[in-house]
Structures are given as C-alpha cells and as structure tokens.
Amino acid sequence: MSTRKPSQSSAEDLIPEQPTLPLLKEAAADCKACDLWERGTQTVFGEGRRRAKVILIGEQPGNEEDLTGKPFVGPAGRLLDNALEEAGIDRSQTYVTNVVKHFKWEPRGKRRIHKKPNTQEIAACRPWLLAEIALIKPQVIVALGATAAQALLGPQFRVTKQRGQFLKSSLAPYVMATVHPSSILRAPDDETRRLELRRFVDDLKKLGRFIK
Ligand code: SF4
C-alpha cells in the first residue's frame, strides 16, 4: 500500500523559502499537488543553464522523459536539439522545462499515450514554473505549443496566428510562442513535416537574432 499523502491543490506550499534550482528539483520530486504524481514514474524537473537567456517551455514530459527523469530527451527533444543547432542556438545555453512536470498518459494496449493536462493540473504545477523563471530571469521565454502558450499568455492566445512574435510580459521581458516539436513529428506526410520543420527553425532563428 502506498504511504504517500493525498494530493494538495497547488505546489505553492512546497516551494523552499530560499530556493535554488537544485533545492526546487529536490522539493518537486515529492510533489503531490495534483493527481498526476500517481500516474507518472517521477517528477521531471527543468534542466539547463542557471543564467540562461532563454527558457524553452513545453507542455509536459513524454514517455522517455518520464522514464529517464530528464526533460526533452525523447524524439521531440532530439528534433528540438537539431532545430536549435540549425538556428545557431546552443541548447546548453538554454534552460528547458515543462508547464506540468509529470507525464499524463492513458493506456492503449501496451503503450502509454500522451493525454493533455487539464486546467487544474496546470494551475497546481504553476508555482514550480514560476519559481524556475524567477531564479533564471531569462530575457526571453519560448512557449512550445498551445498548452504552454496559453498557460503563459492566456487562453485567448492562438499559436497559429501569433507564433514568432516577441510579446512583452510580466514573466520575462519577452515571451515568444511557436509550435511544440512533437506536432512536427505528428505531421500527416513528409512534405508537411518538412514545411513545419522549416517554419519552426525560422522561429528559432528569429529568437537567435533577438538574443544576440
Ligand atoms: S504535475 Fe506538477 S503539481 Fe502535479 S504532482 Fe507533478 S509536480 Fe506536482
């Protein structure tokens, strides 16, 4: 029988009084602020440079991230690495994390299929994200995909219409949104995938010029 306590409604009370990134990661490992702690293997906290000019924020860890405990190491992470490199941005100079830090999934046969986090789960996990942003103080936050963009820029935000724009924000001097790399992997055919990848790299090239 599990000895873990039941879920709380927000991670707010778990943030250390004098947070550092290692302390936050340690505290988040025991987070039960929403029910996702029961479904995921482990908390997947953000990783990267303490003084990064850019934080890249996705929706949630995927299958490989859940198993390894590291963000953006699966197929979407590899696509992101390649796209950053093509855009002239060194991933080791950035910080990568997710809006929600546990993998939400549902079984389909033997596979674990990604399930979108809901509003309560995003709200419960938000204190971790805000604490990461407050410590790193990036020049630009990049929201990868609609879930991250709407969590950071509001529910009216549409990635399809406003991608690649540098918008002023209270979270950082600028927030820019683009697609999530996993959406490129899910493109229905090779030609669409090639075009979507090109647009993604173009957004990242804009980012590269912006932070120079
Ligand atoms: S998803 Fe976030 S709020 Fe929910 S248990 Fe995991 S770390 Fe805590």
Side-chain angles (χ1 to χ4, degrees):
M1 200 172 89
S2 170
T3 55
R4 289 182 172 188
K5 285 185 285 184
S7 301
Q8 303 155 313
S9 58
S10 164
E12 188 69 55
D13 294 344
L14 305 175
I15 305 293
E17 269 183 35
Q18 294 188 317
T20 61
L21 288 174
L23 281 178
L24 282 174
K25 184 175 179 176
E26 198 183 316
D30 287 326
C31 183
K32 304 169 189 74
C34 76
D35 291 338
L36 296 183
W37 68 272
E38 292 181 286
R39 212 178 302 186
T41 305
Q42 57 194 317
T43 308
V44 181
F45 206 70
E47 269 189 17
R49 195 178 169 86
R50 165 73 175 81
R51 295 281 177 207
K53 284 185 184 174
V54 178
I55 298 187
L56 299 144
I57 303 176
E59 180 190 90
Q60 62 166 333
N63 188 58
E64 282 188 44
E65 287 81 7
D66 172 74
L67 296 173
T68 60
K70 291 178 163 294
F72 284 98
V73 292
R78 290 190 281 278
L79 188 149
L80 175 64
D81 281 351
N82 292 337
L84 284 169
E85 194 180 334
E86 200 180 333
I89 300 169
D90 182 353
R91 174 161 157 181
S92 69
Q93 301 299 308
T94 68
Y95 184 89
V96 292
T97 192
N98 286 293
V99 166
V100 164
K101 305 217 183 323
H102 269 98
F103 179 33
K104 183 174 182 180
W105 58 276
E106 59 189 5
R108 195 169 303 161
K110 288 185 179 166
R111 295 178 63 207
R112 303 190 300 170
I113 303 297
H114 160 273
K115 199 163 180 231
K116 194 172 147 64
N118 63 34
T119 310
Q120 289 76 26
E121 290 153 354
I122 292 169
C125 214
R126 191 172 176 84
W128 296 123
L129 182 64
L130 295 183
E132 289 174 295
I133 294 170
L135 276 174
I136 294 163
K137 298 185 175 55
Q139 194 178 328
V140 184
I141 293 173
V142 178
L144 299 169
T147 302
Q150 291 178 355
L152 296 164
L153 295 162
Q156 310 307 325
F157 188 87
R158 293 288 171 268
V159 174
T160 43
K161 291 191 177 148
Q162 294 166 280
R163 67 184 290 174
Q165 297 176 8
F166 291 87
L167 305 168
K168 292 195 173 174
S169 162
S170 57
L171 297 169
Y174 293 95
V175 177
M176 188 265 265
T178 181
V179 295
H180 194 285
S182 64
S183 71
I184 300 170
L185 295 172
R186 289 195 308 269
D189 54 68
D190 288 348
E191 179 60 9
T192 310
R193 193 171 306 113
R194 196 184 62 74
L195 287 172
E196 284 304 316
L197 180 58
R198 178 58 32 220
R199 291 186 73 197
F200 185 55
V201 171
D202 285 347
D203 286 342
L204 295 178
K205 281 184 177 168
K206 271 192 222 167
L207 171 69
R209 288 192 293 273
F210 198 81
I211 58 174
K212 279 229 163 86

